[in-house]
Amino acid sequence: RRYRRFVLIGSFLIFVFVAAFSSVHLYFGGNQISNQNIFITVDGPASVGGGEVLPIQVAVTNENTVPIESATLILKYPAGTRSAGDDARNLFEERIPIADIGPGETLNESVRVRLFGEESAAREINATVEYRVNESNGMFYKDAEPLAVRISSSPLVLRVENVEKVASGQLVNVTLTAVSNASAPLENILITADYPTGFDYE
């Protein structure tokens, strides 16, 4: 009976030791990846002229003790965003591969776009990092605080001149004046008009 008592006490002590070690291991993180240890900052001007180049700097920091793998930066743009290159195209979402990020490492990514919109309009650019962890097939995500940008001026101002009252069937002249605020010539401009029911374009 005495050796059974020793076995029981020894088993209990081993259990306490393992439980304490596991608790400390979980508390201090060990080799586990925590989403709270991944930081994303999106920096850029608070305002920009419509049609002008908006430089954006995105920094992704991994404060975990193990790397994150196959990381991809996902940028979501507001309506009216276009690429800043020679092959200007509409942008809605952009996925930028940034590979692996080691422990304590920070990766910086620079992006240049053009925002179009009405003067004083507020826009937001959202950033998300998609990544994997070792020995896992799942995808994980971390969102950043959105970058708020205000359009300080519109590259094109459209003025409409017309009479306030007309008689039924009366022919009316409407004058549209387009004024450019851009620093470079604006090309391929298209003006569209929507007429209510009962109006005929002459």
Side-chain angles (χ1 to χ4, degrees), residues 156-159 176-180 189 191:
L156 186 68
V157 177
L158 187 63
R159 298 172 183 159
L176 303 180
T177 304
V179 181
S180 173
I189 297 174
I191 297 176

Side-chain angles (χ1 to χ4, degrees), residues 185-198:
L186 299 177
E187 301 177 351
N188 301 323
I189 297 174
L190 175 66
I191 297 176
T192 62
D194 295 325
Y195 299 97
T197 303

Side-chain angles (χ1 to χ4, degrees), residues 33-40 60-64 68 101 129 131 133 140-143:
I33 289 184
S34 173
N35 203 35
Q36 302 300 321
N37 293 332
I38 299 175
F39 304 95
I40 312 171
V60 182
T61 303
N62 177 23
E63 292 294 344
N64 290 287
I68 59 177
I101 305 178
V129 169
Y131 63 94
V133 297
F140 301 90
Y141 300 87
K142 179 62 181 285
D143 296 326

